[in-house]
């Protein structure tokens, strides 16, 4: 197995691919807009409410996990559509599981947000 020499140009290219993935995600997936709005609202709230470093850390992790779950969900759904364009119960199950992962991370993030923000408003 031959290892490739480190290349700054290739590393920059990988970032280019990632940003193109984000661009396509926002163009093709309506949930991206919903997550973006929720992220902006939470970040604005964090700017106006005094939070500890630990609270900010939990908020940042929650936001990152929801984005990660949604990106993986979209990738899985698109891959399933390519592999099997016709309706298929096994593919539906895979897509449903992928969507459930997004739901779990989203609900967990809302719970984290409630635990952190509700006491600040009371």
């Amino acid at each position: 197995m031959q290892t490739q020499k480190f290349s700054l140009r290739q590393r920059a290219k990988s970032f280019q691919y990632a940003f193109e993935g984000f661009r396509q995600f926002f163009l093709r997936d309506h949930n991206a807009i919903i997550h973006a709005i929720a992220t902006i609202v939470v970040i604005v709230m964090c700017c106006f409410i005094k939070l500890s470093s630990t609270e900010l850390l939990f908020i940042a992790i929650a936001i990152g996990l929801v984005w990660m779950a949604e990106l993986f969900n979209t990738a899985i759904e698109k891959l399933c559509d390519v592999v099997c364009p016709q309706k298929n119960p096994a593919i539906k199950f895979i897509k449903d599981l992928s969507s459930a992962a997004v739901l779990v991370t989203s609900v967990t993030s809302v719970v984290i947000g409630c635990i952190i923000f509700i006491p600040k408003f009371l």
Side-chain angles (χ1 to χ4, degrees):
M1 185 165 111
Q2 186 179 5
T3 59
Q4 291 183 338
K5 191 174 176 182
F6 179 81
S7 163
L8 208 51
R9 179 171 284 146
Q10 287 301 322
R11 296 299 57 89
K13 194 85 164 156
S14 67
F15 278 98
Q16 211 174 359
Y17 296 141
F19 287 120
E20 178 60 18
F22 269 123
R23 190 176 82 75
Q24 291 297 321
F25 178 60
F26 279 100
L27 290 174
R28 298 176 184 213
D29 194 317
H30 299 290
N31 289 333
I33 304 301
I34 294 167
H35 290 302
I37 292 168
T39 299
I40 290 166
V41 167
V42 170
I43 290 171
V44 167
M45 287 173 57
C46 288
C47 291
F48 289 104
I49 297 170
K50 182 143 174 71
L51 298 177
S52 70
S53 296
T54 303
E55 290 168 329
L56 286 170
L57 180 65
F58 275 105
I59 295 289
I61 290 169
I63 289 170
L65 288 175
V66 170
W67 278 104
M68 194 169 65
E70 188 60 55
L71 287 161
F72 278 132
N73 176 55
T74 300
I76 289 166
E77 286 183 352
K78 299 303 178 198
L79 180 61
C80 286
D81 291 344
V82 169
V83 170
C84 186
Q86 65 276 8
K87 290 201 180 265
N88 179 313
I91 295 294
K92 180 187 180 317
F93 177 67
I94 292 166
K95 287 181 170 186
D96 289 349
L97 285 177
S98 181
S99 293
V102 176
L103 180 63
V104 168
T105 56
S106 297
V107 168
T108 302
S109 294
V110 168
V111 169
I112 289 168
C114 288
I115 290 169
I116 291 171
F117 287 115
I118 288 176
K120 306 288 183 190
F121 289 117
L122 296 179

